[in-house]
Amino acid sequence: MKDNIQEVHAICKKALTDGSLSKDEILVLLNCPEEHSDIIFQTADAVRKKEVGDQVHLRGLIEFSNYCKKNCEYCGIRGKNKNIERYRLNKEEILQTALRAESLGYRSVVMQSGEDPYFTAEVLADIISTIKAHTDLAITMSAGEFTYEEYKTIKEAGADRYLLRFETSSEELYKKLHPDSEFSQRMECLHMLSDLGYQVGSGFMVGLPGETPEILADNLLLLQKLDLDMAGIGPFLPNSDTNLAGAAGGTLINSLKAVALARLLLRNAHIPATTAMGSLDPKGREKALQSGANVVMPNVTPEEFREMYQLYPNKICLRDDPAHCRKCITGKIQGLGRTVSNEHGHSLKIKKGY
Ligand code: 5AD
Ligand code: SF4
Ligand code: FES
């Protein structure tokens, strides 16, 4: 065991200046005993500070539709779940939500939905260009898979960024969990987004049933290979409305290690302390912010719709209004000795001119 601890220290020391960790080195860190994992978090925190500074970027999350034509096995809003009420915000409601976010001080919003056939690329483009005409918000879309032409339409309307998690790097596990999607298509979409000039975010869940340490290490290496601008990682939280209700779910320690390793590998990417992390542990987001994360995405969806957008159980902030969350998160960030950024928080890779 002593050797292993020394190895963990040696790998962390190297990672302070060099993000080229091998799969074996990643596995040593992932497998190191919990009582010795603080060094990994501290190293990621130091790399975060050096690469992206002390500012935390906020993105206001607008969950604009919980309709979904897909049936991902883990997800509470999968199309076949008959136990939830469905809703869709109309254009005016989405615009008002965006305006509210801007008035609360957000410089950026994420528009997230299931794969809702109502929101075609044209419909989304109209909404995005309207928000752009009325605000100075950076807009991130998170609405699933489209064709190249459709992503182009959405980009040309003014979307700056796109989030599309690959969920797992194992093709076999991907197939099991996604009855109506292909891993290769997911990769294709990520390449299209990048070609079109979007700032691209992807990521995965930690602790999916069937995930092994090797798969988790490959997830992290895939993040690095994709050269992402943003990487979102959160624990899988079993939803009682799905066939995975009885599964174990991701642990806090493994999720934090994944966030920390993503920071060590991706260096200056934006990495959120995800809502799933905060739902697993009351201090989950704070712990993630101290283990490599530099972004938080507080919910700005009007309160009456929040209950209906539950991908996973025990989601935080369900009964809190957007103004409350904005204050709450600012307090938490300041409590960690960090500051809330008042910039758009664009990709640092663009600033570095690549
Ligand atoms: N637990 C945690 N995260 C989930 N997501 C979907 N369902 C769950 C769940 N049960 C995540 C997926 C998706 C993102 C929007 O939410 O990773 O990409
Ligand atoms: Fe739909 Fe996304 Fe849920 Fe899959 S994860 S069922 S695509 S909302
Ligand atoms: Fe919503 Fe704290 S961020 S209540």
Side-chain angles (χ1 to χ4, degrees):
M1 187 55 75
K2 185 147 183 286
D3 281 355
N4 179 272
I5 301 314
Q6 281 170 351
E7 212 184 342
V8 169
H9 277 259
I11 296 167
C12 285
K13 191 166 174 221
K14 181 184 105 169
L16 270 178
T17 51
D18 175 2
S20 60
L21 273 67
S22 68
K23 184 165 172 182
D24 282 347
E25 289 172 327
I26 293 172
L27 281 168
V28 169
L29 300 190
L30 287 176
N31 291 330
C32 102
E34 180 161 354
E35 60 272 26
H36 296 297
S37 43
D38 277 357
I39 176 75
I40 306 171
F41 305 146
Q42 286 158 12
T43 307
D45 199 43
V47 171
R48 184 271 307 154
K49 192 177 173 74
K50 187 171 86 175
E51 295 281 345
V52 298
D54 276 338
Q55 295 209 325
V56 176
H57 300 285
L58 299 184
R59 308 358 183 147
L61 180 65
I62 308 176
E63 297 156 336
F64 64 95
S65 164
N66 73 347
Y67 281 87
C68 190
K69 64 178 185 215
K70 286 197 172 157
N71 283 290
C72 308
E73 296 291 352
Y74 43 78
C75 180
I77 67 169
R78 63 205 299 273
K80 286 188 184 148
N81 183 9
K82 300 282 175 260
N83 296 337
I84 59 164
E85 213 182 310
R86 302 281 167 173
Y87 73 93
R88 221 174 242 141
L89 268 57
N90 63 31
K91 178 178 168 182
E92 185 55 29
E93 288 168 327
I94 298 174
L95 175 64
Q96 288 309 323
T97 307
L99 286 167
R100 177 100 199 273
E102 189 167 56
S103 75
L104 287 171
Y106 289 99
R107 303 300 314 279
S108 169
V109 288
V110 177
M111 285 179 52
Q112 188 174 82
S113 68
E115 294 203 7
D116 180 353
Y118 170 83
F119 287 102
T120 60
E122 285 71 28
V123 171
L124 289 173
D126 175 44
I127 296 169
I128 292 164
S129 55
T130 307
I131 296 175
K132 282 285 181 179
H134 289 85
T135 71
D136 179 41
L137 290 164
I139 298 183
T140 305
M141 293 304 299
S142 172
E145 295 182 8
F146 286 92
T147 64
Y148 184 88
E149 282 307 315
E150 290 167 337
Y151 279 140
K152 188 161 182 259
T153 303
I154 294 169
K155 178 81 178 62
E156 284 170 357
D160 302 279
R161 312 175 186 149
Y162 207 102
L163 302 180
L164 187 74
R165 289 187 178 178
F166 55 75
E167 315 295 0
T168 175
S169 60
S170 157
E171 263 196 84
E172 197 188 328
L173 185 54
Y174 191 93
K175 186 98 220 110
K176 276 196 196 138
L177 297 170
H178 304 97
D180 27 31
S181 313
E182 294 290 333
F183 182 76
S184 56
Q185 187 55 33
R186 207 68 171 178
M187 289 299 115
E188 187 55 36
C189 285
L190 287 166
H191 289 126
M192 294 190 276
L193 290 164
S194 186
D195 282 355
L196 284 162
Y198 282 96
Q199 297 169 43
V200 182
S202 191
F204 56 86
M205 281 173 279
V206 175
L208 285 169
E211 180 201 87
T212 59
E214 279 72 23
I215 293 177
L216 190 46
D218 284 336
N219 289 350
L220 288 156
L221 286 167
L222 181 55
L223 288 181
Q224 190 181 43
K225 187 169 148 218
L226 291 168
D227 193 23
L228 297 164
D229 301 290
M230 305 167 285
I233 298 168
F236 158 60
L237 301 168
N239 191 311
S240 56
D241 278 346
T242 67
N243 291 332
L244 298 180
T251 62
L252 180 69
I253 185 81
N254 284 349
S255 306
L256 287 173
K257 279 185 179 175
V259 168
L261 274 153
R263 173 59 67 203
L264 299 184
L265 291 162
L266 300 179
R267 315 306 285 184
N268 64 352
H270 288 309
I271 300 180
T274 55
T275 306
M277 203 69 113
S279 303
L280 177 66
D281 181 290
K283 291 243 174 276
R285 287 179 301 178
E286 289 91 324
K287 289 177 186 169
L289 284 171
Q290 293 178 294
S291 307
N294 72 322
V295 170
V296 184
M297 297 161 61
N299 205 330
V300 295
T301 311
E303 294 94 285
E304 62 264 42
F305 301 108
R306 289 190 184 197
E307 298 259 10
M308 293 181 252
Y309 202 92
Q310 288 203 65
L311 311 180
Y312 47 79
N314 303 319
K315 195 172 157 208
I316 49 171
C317 307
L318 284 185
R319 280 172 206 86
D320 300 298
D321 71 75
H324 175 82
C325 286
R326 180 66 171 77
K327 255 200 227 120
C328 165
I329 205 67
T330 302
K332 288 182 196 290
I333 290 164
Q334 290 172 348
L336 299 174
R338 309 265 283 276
T339 48
V340 173
S341 161
N342 45 34
E343 292 173 25
H344 287 117
H346 284 302
S347 172
L348 294 162
K349 302 197 176 193
I350 290 174
K351 273 199 203 152
K352 286 190 177 164
Y354 90 105

